Amino acid sequence: MHALKKNRPLRRIVLASAATVSGMVLLLSLKPHSTPDVGLAVPAPSSSSSSGTSGGSGGSTTTVTKTVTGDTIQTRWGPVQVKITVKSGKLTEVTAVQYPTDNPRDQEINSFALPRLRSEALQAQSADIDTVSGATYTSDGYRQSLQSALDSARG
């Protein structure tokens, strides 16, 4: 009698389960499709500065605003680069110019990591910020690019 006949239902269950598990493992081991590098920004010039004068009561004060782009830091998952704006010696804006966007997972990670890194940098007024859990490489690259931009802005 054949091995998969009615008198051996347990054997059929085991074989069907093994086939299902094998199929799922093969399906989940596929790598996601990479998208073209359309989302990467073109690096801005190294630095630019401008100054303006604001009139107050009885006098005028000069406000210096500098916009500086930090170094491009190569991470395991792609380049990270930030641009900062410093107004009267205070960090007023931090923008990620380049960051990994090659696949949906990169986009998901950076959608929550970059706003947190920006917020911490503005609060700390320095590159001494915490690493975002799950985005270690992006956090490290962000911190290094931020530090290079701050160094350039200070002189």
Side-chain angles (χ1 to χ4, degrees):
M1 186 177 270
H2 193 266
L4 297 178
K5 293 290 182 187
K6 290 182 183 179
N7 63 350
R8 303 280 176 131
L10 188 59
R11 185 174 285 176
R12 282 187 288 178
I13 292 171
V14 170
L15 289 174
S17 298
T20 301
V21 168
S22 297
M24 291 301 293
V25 167
L26 289 173
L27 182 63
L28 294 175
S29 68
L30 292 175
K31 301 287 182 203
H33 175 72
S34 345
T35 57
D37 292 340
V38 177
L40 293 178
V42 177
S46 179
S47 70
S48 64
S49 64
S50 63
S51 63
T53 305
S54 63
S57 59
S60 66
T61 56
T62 302
T63 305
V64 176
T65 302
K66 275 188 167 182
T67 302
V68 181
T69 303
D71 294 340
T72 301
I73 307 300
Q74 293 298 326
T75 69
R76 180 177 178 180
W77 303 112
V80 177
Q81 184 179 34
V82 299
K83 179 172 66 173
I84 64 168
T85 302
V86 179
K87 188 174 187 177
S88 297
K90 184 177 179 186
L91 184 62
T92 59
E93 186 58 52
V94 182
T95 307
V97 179
Q98 287 188 56
Y99 50 91
T101 57
D102 288 343
N103 61 55
R105 182 69 177 140
D106 288 343
Q107 295 166 11
E108 178 186 358
I109 289 170
N110 291 321
S111 70
F112 75 85
L114 294 175
R116 286 191 174 108
L117 292 166
R118 178 188 176 274
S119 174
E120 283 203 28
L122 290 173
Q123 185 177 6
Q125 291 292 303
S126 72
D128 187 20
I129 56 177
D130 290 335
T131 298
V132 175
S133 179
T136 305
Y137 294 103
T138 298
S139 297
D140 290 344
Y142 192 97
R143 191 171 23 255
Q144 291 174 30
S145 183
L146 177 59
Q147 185 62 57
S148 73
L150 289 169
D151 291 344
S152 295
R154 289 188 184 123

